[in-house]
Amino acid sequence: QHICHKGFALCKITGIASIHSKMCNSFPEDWSKAEPIQVETILSIRDALKGVKMKYTVIPNEKNRTGKSEGILIGGNLKTIESLAGSKSDIETAGKILFVEDTGEYLYSIDRMFWNLKRSGKLDHLAGLIIGGFKIKQSEDPNEEFGKNLSEIVLEKIKDCNYPVCFDFPVGHQKNNYALKCGVKHRLTVNSQQCSLIEL
């Protein structure tokens, strides 16, 4: 999260793009034993650093909202975005494509964080919304489990908005965590065949 904080500040204060990607401690010690998806996602960092135009395609989720939009890509860890609200590193979302991911949070905490985004106006004027990986922390008591799943939480907060939404994008605390260039213009396309995020 400290690195996410630095990325937010770098982009907002200086206008310099940053990369959201795997941490180096997730790199394999022995590349010959690495899974193909692990190698592919690490090499995406190399491509981003070399200036290769990024392009990702994703199998559609039935909860997606179709559409096409263009905008500067911003985002990162949802908890970090919430924690930085009101600070110099707070993100400005109007006209931009926002991506979020998180890990180890209860559903009620994720719901609270999305309410924070909604009530602070960060969801109102997006060009598009990308929901990455969310490792949900399960309640110790099943009777106390939150009454909504992730897609229901998200769609409730944006029911009055009409921009495209892509669920299950391969970014976050998971093996299929591809490098994303924050602060760079992208095109998001969501339809029934596939979803794509293309750097412009």
Side-chain angles (χ1 to χ4, degrees):
Q1 291 185 348
H2 182 64
I3 290 177
C4 287
H5 171 205
K6 297 263 186 196
F8 292 153
L10 183 69
C11 187
K12 181 174 181 180
I13 298 172
T14 70
I16 298 174
S18 61
I19 298 174
H20 181 285
S21 68
K22 286 181 178 293
M23 300 285 286
C24 293
N25 61 6
S26 66
F27 289 16
E29 293 184 10
D30 185 348
W31 277 84
S32 66
K33 297 179 181 178
E35 297 179 48
I37 187 64
Q38 190 176 19
V39 173
E40 187 177 346
T41 53
I42 292 171
L43 292 181
S44 74
I45 304 172
R46 179 199 63 184
D47 290 344
L49 291 170
K50 290 178 66 176
V52 175
K53 295 276 189 179
M54 312 307 283
K55 179 179 180 180
Y56 299 117
T57 57
V58 184
I59 297 173
N61 181 301
E62 62 179 7
K63 300 296 184 181
N64 285 352
R65 180 183 293 169
T66 60
K68 180 184 290 187
S69 65
E70 295 181 3
I72 299 295
L73 182 67
I74 60 168
N77 180 267
L78 181 59
K79 179 62 178 176
T80 302
I81 293 173
E82 180 194 43
S83 298
L84 294 176
S87 74
K88 291 181 180 179
S89 300
D90 197 0
I91 60 173
E92 298 174 0
T93 60
K96 297 174 182 174
I97 299 172
L98 173 67
F99 74 92
V100 291
E101 51 80 14
D102 217 322
T103 185
E105 297 285 352
Y106 292 110
L107 281 168
Y108 67 80
S109 295
I110 294 170
D111 182 68
R112 183 199 67 233
M113 288 186 275
F114 271 102
W115 274 118
N116 176 279
L117 291 182
K118 178 176 175 60
R119 292 179 62 83
S120 61
K122 290 184 173 67
L123 299 176
D124 291 346
H125 304 292
L126 292 176
L129 178 61
I130 294 172
I131 306 300
F134 275 76
K135 290 184 179 178
I136 308 299
K137 188 174 183 179
Q138 300 300 314
S139 173
E140 295 181 4
D141 183 354
N143 294 321
E144 296 181 357
E145 198 61 70
F146 194 68
K148 296 183 177 73
N149 60 33
L150 177 62
S151 61
E152 291 171 334
I153 288 170
V154 174
L155 294 174
E156 177 188 39
K157 311 304 181 292
I158 59 171
K159 61 183 178 182
D160 297 324
C161 306
N162 59 6
Y163 43 75
V165 181
C166 175
F167 286 93
D168 293 335
F169 194 86
V171 60
H173 296 256
Q174 55 195 34
K175 289 183 179 179
N176 57 337
N177 179 18
Y178 288 89
L180 293 178
K181 295 181 185 179
C182 302
V184 177
K185 192 171 184 178
H186 287 69
R187 177 185 298 120
L188 174 65
T189 304
V190 182
N191 58 44
S192 58
Q193 285 73 48
Q194 71 174 22
C195 307
S196 65
L197 182 67
I198 301 172
E199 180 186 350
L200 299 178

